[in-house]
Amino acid sequence: MKNLLFIFLLSATSLYAQDSIAVQDTCPSPIPNSPQGVQSPQDTAIFFDELLAAIDTTECTSDTLITELPDSVYKTRLQALPFVIEVPYNEVVRRYILRYVKHSPRQLASLQSKAEYYFPIFEDILGKHELPFELCYLPVIESALNPQARSHMGAVGLWQFMPATGKKYGLEINSLIDERMDPIRSTEAACKFLKALYNIFGDWNLVIAAYNCGPGNVNKAIHRAGGKRDFWSIYPFLPKETRGYLPIFIAAAYVMNYADVHGICPANDNLYPITDTIVTSERQHLKQIAANLSVTLEELRRLNPQYARDIIPGGKEYALCLPMAISGAYIDQQDTILAYQAKELIHNRRAEIDLMQRTGLNGGYSVNGVTYYKIKQGDTLGGIAAKFRVSVKRLKSFNGLTSDMIRAGKTLKIPNV
């Protein structure tokens, strides 16, 4: 599983070439019981900063930002969260908390606003699969809650699935649809994947690490740590980017729950209306819906990011997410919607094409039931008309000719006898 932190990985010269890039230490002194080797998660920090920088920001209406607090406050607040997953505190977690609240408050405001739309979707599906609700913070750090997020490694969507993993867990991926971008379908797939990882490790911190770097790398780290099955014990043996992954997850859980006490409120972007999901098996274009209902094409795309070319393929059941205010009108006007510019938008691909065939010894050929003749040197209009047993007048009229002059190399359409 690749996450959005890798978006900027390929643009760097090398993952390991960045060891020389210093990360400003915002923690004034080491914290007891920190894991061995946590002092330099440089690579993940760099990509984390880039991840935040990529978020569209909106001004927050807060008056005062409260940034650095005593360690005891962060620790107490984390332990007060009603989580099943362990979220301990150390200086690495502190660094990432401050990256949110101190250096990226507008980005955090935008994340909070998006969470108001996406978290109920995540929590509903996580609950159905009996998984911890706090796993909804994974797409915060994977994609910054952007369903169209795409990494250079090929991972796509809120949960950043690679194509093979997405298909393995039931997602449809082709030229018209990429269900990795479907908030509901991709969350269903993520739950199946997370349950499979938990069956392997039986520890949610290790599951989160494996979600980032794969179960093979986690098993290698466990082996190198002498069989210890605790994230902080195997920390030095994990890939560099994964060492910062769980601390970022913990920091995301903290800031999404305590942004308000830091003076950060959700951005008021009004991007997501109250929605309704309609199941349809009809092939249709989002433009057909936008042209007939009170909704813009941009809003339909935002609510249905899985339809890569704005086309719902049809032929089987697909989900169409609409603002609830127009869902009834869609059902009532479906025939009108489906008929609107159907030839141009939907039925613009030929279903069957006849092969060019010779029509006999007269030198003509037929395509899709129309006979053609390529004029040869020495041909006359009267001779061609006689060959195909039609009148010169009809042959001229059929081809829009105003005289008997013809040229070799040109093609005539031959009317049916």
Side-chain angles (χ1 to χ4, degrees):
M1 179 65 58
K2 303 293 183 182
N3 58 68
L4 193 61
L5 299 177
F6 289 121
I7 286 181
F8 305 91
L9 179 59
L10 297 184
S11 62
T13 55
S14 154
L15 176 66
Y16 299 102
Q18 299 191 40
D19 284 341
S20 60
I21 302 176
V23 177
Q24 182 179 358
D25 188 354
T26 56
C27 182
S29 60
I31 299 172
N33 302 319
S34 296
Q36 179 185 359
V38 300
Q39 291 85 348
S40 58
Q42 289 98 331
D43 300 294
T44 301
I46 293 168
F47 300 128
F48 177 69
D49 288 341
E50 297 284 7
L51 171 63
L52 291 179
I55 299 174
D56 289 335
T57 61
T58 304
E59 286 283 357
C60 183
T61 57
S62 304
D63 296 322
T64 306
L65 291 178
I66 303 169
T67 54
E68 297 191 48
L69 296 170
D71 296 326
S72 59
V73 174
Y74 296 125
K75 180 179 178 180
T76 300
R77 287 177 178 173
L78 279 170
Q79 294 308 302
L81 293 173
F83 288 0
V84 171
I85 298 176
E86 184 180 59
V87 284
Y89 177 74
N90 55 44
E91 75 258 28
V92 183
V93 173
R94 177 189 176 103
R95 287 172 182 156
Y96 291 123
I97 289 174
L98 294 183
R99 275 183 162 83
Y100 276 115
V101 300
K102 186 175 183 178
H103 302 296
S104 306
R106 293 183 184 178
Q107 288 84 347
L108 178 53
S110 178
L111 285 172
Q112 281 190 291
S113 180
K114 292 178 181 179
E116 291 179 355
Y117 177 76
Y118 287 113
F119 274 24
I121 296 173
F122 300 157
E123 291 169 354
D124 180 59
I125 299 172
L126 287 165
K128 185 176 71 174
H129 287 271
E130 299 182 341
L131 295 177
F133 282 9
E134 51 267 34
L135 290 170
C136 64
Y137 301 111
L138 275 178
V140 172
I141 66 174
E142 284 283 340
S143 62
L145 298 181
N146 176 9
Q148 294 177 302
R150 186 182 300 271
S151 79
H152 289 302
M153 301 294 289
V156 168
L158 290 161
W159 297 86
Q160 287 291 282
F161 274 104
M162 296 293 286
T165 309
K167 290 179 179 179
K168 178 179 179 181
Y169 289 97
L171 298 181
E172 184 176 349
I173 303 170
N174 54 48
S175 296
L176 291 184
I177 183 170
D178 190 339
E179 290 186 331
R180 292 177 294 174
M181 299 186 200
D182 184 322
I184 295 174
R185 295 281 293 143
S186 66
T187 303
E188 289 278 0
C191 287
K192 295 174 185 176
F193 184 49
L194 289 163
K195 288 177 80 170
L197 291 175
Y198 190 78
N199 288 337
I200 295 171
F201 297 108
D203 179 280
W204 284 114
N205 282 180
L206 296 182
V207 167
I208 291 169
Y211 193 90
N212 174 255
C213 67
N217 282 317
V218 173
N219 279 325
K220 288 179 186 177
I222 290 172
H223 176 74
R224 291 169 182 165
K228 295 178 180 178
R229 301 179 66 86
D230 172 72
F231 176 86
W232 304 105
S233 297
I234 69 172
Y235 180 97
F237 307 103
L238 288 167
K240 287 189 176 183
E241 68 275 7
T242 306
R243 296 178 200 170
Y245 191 72
L246 181 62
I248 294 175
F249 173 84
I250 296 171
Y254 174 89
V255 297
M256 296 298 282
N257 281 278
Y258 294 113
D260 58 335
V261 297
H262 283 272
I264 300 170
C265 65
N268 185 25
D269 51 27
N270 296 317
L271 286 177
Y272 301 101
I274 298 174
T275 60
D276 192 11
T277 299
I278 294 172
V279 176
T280 177
S281 58
E282 298 289 343
R283 184 180 177 91
Q284 57 200 286
H285 199 291
L286 297 183
K287 284 184 179 179
Q288 293 176 293
I289 303 170
N292 287 277
L293 300 179
S294 301
V295 61
T296 65
L297 180 60
E298 290 69 25
E299 185 166 28
L300 288 173
R301 286 171 173 166
R302 187 165 57 247
L303 296 176
N304 300 275
Q306 67 270 32
Y307 299 119
R309 299 180 184 274
D310 297 340
I311 295 174
I312 302 174
K316 67 176 187 178
E317 291 186 343
Y318 288 95
L320 170 63
C321 185
L322 295 172
M324 185 172 287
I326 66 166
S327 61
Y330 171 85
I331 295 171
D332 293 340
Q333 301 178 41
Q334 190 170 41
D335 290 343
T336 302
I337 291 168
L338 295 176
Y340 178 81
Q341 293 189 354
K343 184 176 180 180
E344 295 86 347
L345 295 172
I346 297 299
H347 305 306
N348 54 1
R349 299 174 63 196
R350 293 173 292 177
E352 183 177 354
I353 299 175
D354 291 336
L355 293 176
M356 183 179 74
Q357 297 183 11
R358 307 294 293 186
T359 60
L361 298 177
N362 54 19
Y365 59 90
S366 174
V367 178
N368 289 336
V370 179
T371 299
Y372 297 86
Y373 177 80
K374 189 172 184 180
I375 302 169
K376 300 179 180 62
Q377 194 71 34
D379 278 339
T380 64
L381 199 61
I384 296 170
K387 182 182 294 188
F388 288 96
R389 298 180 181 180
V390 296
S391 68
V392 172
K393 182 179 179 180
R394 189 177 177 199
L395 184 61
K396 289 172 64 177
S397 174
F398 200 62
N399 287 275
L401 300 177
T402 58
S403 74
D404 292 348
M405 296 294 293
I406 56 174
R407 286 192 298 172
K410 295 294 184 179
T411 299
L412 293 173
K413 289 191 296 182
I414 309 300
N416 294 327
V417 177

